[in-house]
């Protein structure tokens, strides 16, 4: 079996950058890697991603949003993650079930007990070996996200989550830190405000511990 490592944090925390670097670092050491993301990773997941993230003419309520993230995950686990782990690959996943607790639980205020049950169902009992949480102030993350989207035509620039207010993102940061404090054997909290190279070194240190 391979290893399953999830990358989590608020908007603009640098997960995607670090997954790219970590995948290259592992590949250089001969480790077979699948870098993937939620929602996404399968044709169905990508369709759901489009429905959930792009600003559209119709609204999506919190309950429907939760179920769509769960549907995307169930397909992702069955079609991509389990086969990769069975083939001995290390799966680096940009967000997984902790994101659902953080965003739909702490962020939207949906029932955490129900989300945990749904998470277990949609993850087909697959659980990460390690979760790297990139923690940083909300202002820093949002400023990075804004900088990245600057120059893109305004109607396409911000997704539904980027449009939420600062308090929403603050609840998510606190939620992630609470989840990390509750499962210290799985979470590694990394200072996401540091520079890219410093963070990468820390990520590699944690990955090396899994060899
Ligand atoms: N969501 C949910 O609600 N429930 C769920 O169950 C799941 C997801 C699975 C997915 O959006 C959204 O779905 C997400 C939660 C929700 N929305 N939010 N918020 P996404 O996949 O499009 O985006 P994201 O996951 O939020 O990530 P992101 O905004 O793309 O950012 P990131 O991956 O954390 O960071 P990045 O792309 O690596 O970096 C952002 C920018 O900062 C970029 O210009 C980098 O060059 C720069 N950067 C990166 N690192 C640094 C450092 N260290 N210093 C300075 N600048 C940096």
């Amino acid at each position: 079996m391979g290893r399953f490592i999830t990358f989590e944090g608020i908007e603009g925390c640098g997960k995607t950058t670090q997954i790219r670097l970590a995948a290259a670092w592992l590949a250089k050491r001969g480790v077979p890697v699948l870098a993937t993301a939620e929602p996404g990773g399968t044709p169905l997941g990508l369709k759901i991603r489009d429905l959930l993230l792009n600003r559209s003419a119709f609204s999506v309520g919190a309950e429907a949003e939760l179920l769509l993230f769960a549907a995307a995950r169930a397909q992702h686990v069955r079609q991509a993650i389990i086969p990769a782990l069975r083939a001995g690959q290390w799966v680096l996943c940009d967000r997984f079930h902790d994101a659902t607790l953080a965003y739909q639980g702490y962020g939207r205020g949906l029932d955490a007990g129900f989300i945990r049950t749904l998470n277990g169902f949609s993850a087909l009992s697959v659980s990460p070996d390690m979760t790297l949480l990139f923690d940083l102030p909300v202002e820093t993350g949002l400023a990075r996200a804004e900088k990245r989207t600057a120059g893109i035509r305004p109607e396409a620039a911000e997704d539904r989550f980027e449009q939420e207010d600062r308090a929403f993102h603050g609840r998510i940061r606190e939620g992630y830190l609470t989840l990390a404090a509750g499962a210290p054997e799985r979470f590694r909290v990394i200072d996401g405000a540091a520079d890219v190279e410093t963070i990468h070194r820390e990520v590699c240190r944690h990955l090396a511990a899994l060899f």
Side-chain angles (χ1 to χ4, degrees):
M1 283 292 267
R3 300 284 191 178
F4 184 30
I5 301 120
T6 54
F7 290 60
E8 298 278 3
I10 61 167
E11 179 90 36
C13 69
K15 306 171 275 83
T16 310
T17 303
Q18 292 301 328
I19 286 192
R20 189 171 37 78
L21 295 171
W25 186 82
L26 285 169
K28 219 169 148 185
R29 278 152 189 79
V31 177
V33 179
L34 171 70
T36 186
E38 292 208 350
T42 67
L44 176 65
L46 291 172
K47 288 253 185 224
I48 292 176
R49 180 181 183 86
D50 194 41
L51 285 174
L52 281 173
L53 297 190
N54 290 340
R55 285 196 282 176
S56 29
F58 53 86
S59 65
V60 182
E63 298 79 9
E65 180 183 89
L66 169 65
L67 295 171
L68 285 167
F69 277 119
R73 177 161 311 126
Q75 190 66 25
H76 192 203
V77 172
R78 181 177 291 283
Q79 193 178 338
I81 294 176
I82 289 178
L85 291 173
R86 285 198 178 136
Q89 287 183 289
W90 285 39
V91 177
L92 309 183
C93 191
D94 194 333
R95 299 195 182 283
F96 196 62
H97 55 20
D98 296 304
T100 317
L101 276 165
Y103 280 81
Q104 281 64 53
Y106 289 92
R108 302 274 192 232
L110 296 180
D111 181 69
F114 177 69
I115 295 176
R116 283 185 191 278
T117 303
L118 187 62
N119 273 350
F121 179 77
S122 59
L124 309 181
S125 300
V126 169
S127 180
D129 295 300
M130 181 187 280
T131 297
L132 302 176
L133 172 60
F134 301 87
D135 179 57
L136 80 178
V138 167
E139 288 71 19
T140 312
L142 292 182
R144 283 185 194 167
E146 260 171 41
K147 201 167 147 197
R148 184 188 47 192
T149 46
I152 301 176
R153 68 197 155 85
E155 69 275 16
E158 284 191 320
D159 67 33
R160 286 177 54 247
F161 289 93
E162 280 167 355
Q163 290 177 318
E164 293 289 343
D165 62 16
R166 195 222 161 277
F168 175 81
H169 293 284
R171 290 198 296 280
I172 291 171
R173 182 186 185 195
E174 290 310 313
Y176 268 128
L177 290 172
T178 304
L179 293 173
E185 68 294 345
R186 173 166 67 89
F187 273 91
R188 303 289 176 270
V189 182
I190 294 174
D191 176 13
D195 62 88
V196 170
E197 192 44 46
T198 303
I199 299 173
H200 174 57
R201 276 199 301 273
E202 185 149 2
V203 168
C204 295
R205 191 169 62 78
H206 291 306
L207 293 178
L210 289 177
F211 281 133

